[in-house]
Amino acid sequence: MTTRSAPVTGERRQLINVAYRMLGSLTDAEDAVQEAYARWYAMPADRREAVGSPGAWLTTVVSRVCLNHLRSARVRRELYVGQWLPEPLADPAERTAARTPGIASDPADLITLDESVGMAFLVVLDSMSPAQRVAFVLHDVFRYPFPEVARIVGRTPAACRRLASTARRGIRTAQESAATSTAQDAVVVRDLKRAWETNDVDALIRLLDPEVTAVGDGGGVVRTLEHPLRGREPIVRGLLRFGPRQSGQTLLERTVNGRPGLVGCQDGAVVTVYSFGVSDHRVRHLWAMRNPEKLRSWATAPAA
């Protein structure tokens, strides 16, 4: 008789993908998945055998763990020092050369890099209520039917449909304001890198949208922007003040959450990951991750 004491380990990739989109944190996503597996193994063998689809069961548990985490996170965020940003992800192919031989695959390598993990997408998700976020991710991203979403969220299917619809409008607005191709973004990011490295003020002004915003996340551990900045002039001043020449960082073009970005390296380690929202060939949003806890999957500087 086939046993289900060890459920399809291949489900881990799907579970990590669901949890990361719900939480915006790779560490928290991995914890949620581990909790789901722990609950599975804690069940008696006969109860495991009775589960028709272990993968669906695990997804339900992961989603509920994430929902509870999101509800408590709103309280914990009040104690977070500075601004909170989602944890940035590297392209697995770009991390291969930097990975230490013999080390098992990092959970970050399991994330599918599509538009639903773009930094702009995740920032909008983070502004939603926990129920909105879970309903939207399950239905619109992973195509779960609303009756199934309802059982996970603890609402009626109609209520979950309304939650997802409200979330969808916010996502649509963000996508419309940044409807550029990856190739176009790469050109803008490359030009910004060149202007920043040479302290070319005029070029920086041209490359930034008049209403550009900049947000930094240092987690209270390292120095970064204390508050979000808006407008070209203050952001250009900040770029010049903390640019590569002043900080000693080396900037490298890298993929960040599936979109062109920059990585700041110093003494062989990644110390900053920059994500960008580009619109009409100009940078409209700049997100700088400097919190070491959220850079663990980037720890070693990639090859230039």
Side-chain angles (χ1 to χ4, degrees), residues 54-264:
W57 187 94
L58 287 165
T59 300
T60 296
V61 174
V62 163
S63 299
R64 288 174 176 166
V65 170
C66 289
L67 184 59
N68 290 334
H69 182 91
L70 287 169
R71 287 167 175 162
S72 64
R74 291 189 174 273
V75 177
R76 290 186 285 108
R77 295 273 180 86
E78 295 177 1
L79 304 177
Y80 194 82
V81 179
Q83 304 298 308
W84 189 96
L85 289 173
E87 183 175 344
L89 296 175
D91 187 309
E94 295 176 356
R95 285 177 3 101
T96 301
R99 188 178 295 115
T100 303
I103 298 299
S105 176
D106 191 288
D109 297 341
L110 303 179
I111 303 292
T112 301
L113 298 179
D114 57 27
E115 65 176 7
S116 67
V117 295
M119 191 58 64
F121 194 99
L122 292 176
V123 168
V124 175
L125 284 180
D126 195 58
S127 68
M128 300 176 185
S129 71
Q132 278 181 336
R133 185 168 187 168
V134 172
F136 176 83
V137 169
L138 287 175
H139 180 267
D140 282 50
V141 178
F142 292 98
R143 303 305 177 187
Y144 279 73
F146 280 119
E148 195 166 341
V149 175
R151 288 193 293 271
I152 293 172
V153 178
R155 308 279 185 95
T156 66
C160 289
R161 189 175 289 107
R162 289 193 294 271
L163 288 170
S165 178
T166 301
R168 197 176 301 124
R169 286 195 293 271
I171 291 294
R172 188 179 299 119
T173 299
Q175 290 175 329
E176 288 173 352
S177 65
T180 57
S181 69
T182 300
Q184 290 173 324
D185 285 9
V187 172
V188 174
V189 170
R190 184 174 301 117
D191 290 344
L192 179 72
K193 172 181 178 288
R194 187 180 300 114
W196 197 4
E197 289 174 329
T198 58
N199 287 347
D200 188 335
V201 175
D202 291 338
L204 288 172
I205 290 290
R206 288 195 304 272
L207 289 164
L208 298 180
D209 185 90
E211 298 299 317
V212 61
T213 62
V215 180
D217 182 342
V221 180
V222 297
R223 187 180 182 186
T224 189
L225 297 174
E226 294 183 11
H227 307 285
L229 292 180
R230 179 180 292 276
R232 287 187 293 203
E233 286 72 19
I235 291 177
V236 167
R237 287 196 296 269
L239 290 174
L240 295 178
R241 184 179 179 187
F242 300 108
R245 289 185 178 180
Q246 290 71 27
S247 65
Q249 291 186 32
T250 299
L251 292 179
L252 301 176
E253 296 176 45
R254 289 294 180 267
T255 302
V256 182
N257 286 67
R259 304 293 292 184
L262 296 175
V263 171

Side-chain angles (χ1 to χ4, degrees), residues 3-9 15 32-59 61:
T3 179
R4 291 184 180 170
S5 59
V8 280
T9 55
L15 297 174
V33 172
Q34 289 298 108
E35 173 67 18
Y37 273 107
R39 294 185 189 185
W40 172 269
Y41 287 117
M43 286 197 302
D46 59 336
R47 287 188 59 190
R48 290 198 297 267
E49 290 290 341
V51 175
S53 172
W57 187 94
L58 287 165
T59 300
V61 174

